[in-house]
Amino acid sequence: SPPPPRPPSSCSSQAGSHTNHRAIMRVVFALLTLAATASAFMTGSSFAGSAIAAERASTSASTITMARNPLKAMKIRTRRLTMNEKDKLRISVFRSNNHIYAQVINDLEGTTLASASSRSLEAGGSNKAAAFEVGKALAEAAKAKGVTNLYFDRESASHKYMYHGRVASLIDGVREGGCEL
C-alpha cells in the first residue's frame, strides 16, 4: 500500500515565505532607486556630487576648467602660453547659425582688447561676405589698440572650428585688414 501523505512541514513553508520576502525586498529596492534617481534629476545634482556641482557652478565661466580631460586643458594652456611668449594675441571666434563673433584676447592679462560681430554691422548676416567684413572690422579695432601680431585659436574650451567657410573668411578679412596671422 502507498505510504500515507505527509503533512506539510514547517521547513517547506519557510522556504516559500523566504522567496516572497526576497521578491518584496527587490520591489522596495527598485522603488527606492527610482525615487533617488528622480530626486537627483529634480535637484540637478546627485547625492554624492552635490557639493562638487555647487562648486563648479560657482566658478567663473572665463576660466578653463576641464575636469573630464586635464590633458586637453594642458594642451590648450601650453599653446596659448607659447603664443603669448611670441607676442601673439589670440583671436577667438564663435559661430552661431545667424551671426559670427570674434575677439582679440590677451591671455596674460585676461582682457579682451577688441571685438567685432556681424550683429554690429549694418549688413549683418551669416554668410561669408559678412564674416569677411567682421574680420576687417576686427583688424581695424585691433590696429587702433596697437596690436597687429595675432593667431587664430581654432580650439577653445567649448568649440572647435575647422578653418573653413565663414571662419576662414573671417580670418582672411583680418589679414586683409592689415594684421599678421
Side-chain angles (χ1 to χ4, degrees), residues 2 37 41 61 66 70 81 92 98 100 111 113 141 163 173 176:
T37 306
F41 279 118
M66 294 184 176
L81 288 174
S92 175
N98 298 326
I100 190 161
T111 58
L113 299 176
Y163 185 77
E176 179 88 12

Side-chain angles (χ1 to χ4, degrees), residues 119-138:
R119 293 181 89 178
S120 61
L121 294 178
E122 294 171 4
S126 63
N127 54 13
K128 288 185 185 181
F132 188 80
E133 294 301 319
V134 169
K136 286 170 83 173
L138 182 68

Side-chain angles (χ1 to χ4, degrees), residues 78-158:
T78 54
R79 182 187 317 119
R80 288 181 183 168
L81 288 174
T82 55
M83 289 299 181
N84 277 325
E85 288 173 358
K86 296 177 184 177
D87 294 329
K88 290 188 173 192
L89 299 181
R90 176 167 61 109
I91 296 178
S92 175
V93 175
F94 175 72
R95 182 189 69 195
S96 72
N97 287 339
N98 298 326
H99 297 285
I100 190 161
Y101 307 85
Q103 301 176 8
V104 175
I105 300 172
N106 184 350
D107 286 315
L108 293 178
E109 297 173 7
T111 58
T112 300
L113 299 176
S115 65
S117 71
S118 61
R119 293 181 89 178
S120 61
L121 294 178
E122 294 171 4
S126 63
N127 54 13
K128 288 185 185 181
F132 188 80
E133 294 301 319
V134 169
K136 286 170 83 173
L138 182 68
E140 290 172 12
K143 286 191 337 189
K145 297 277 185 169
V147 177
T148 58
N149 202 4
L150 306 170
Y151 79 97
F152 169 52
D153 185 21
R154 187 172 85 82
E155 182 177 9
S156 68
S158 58

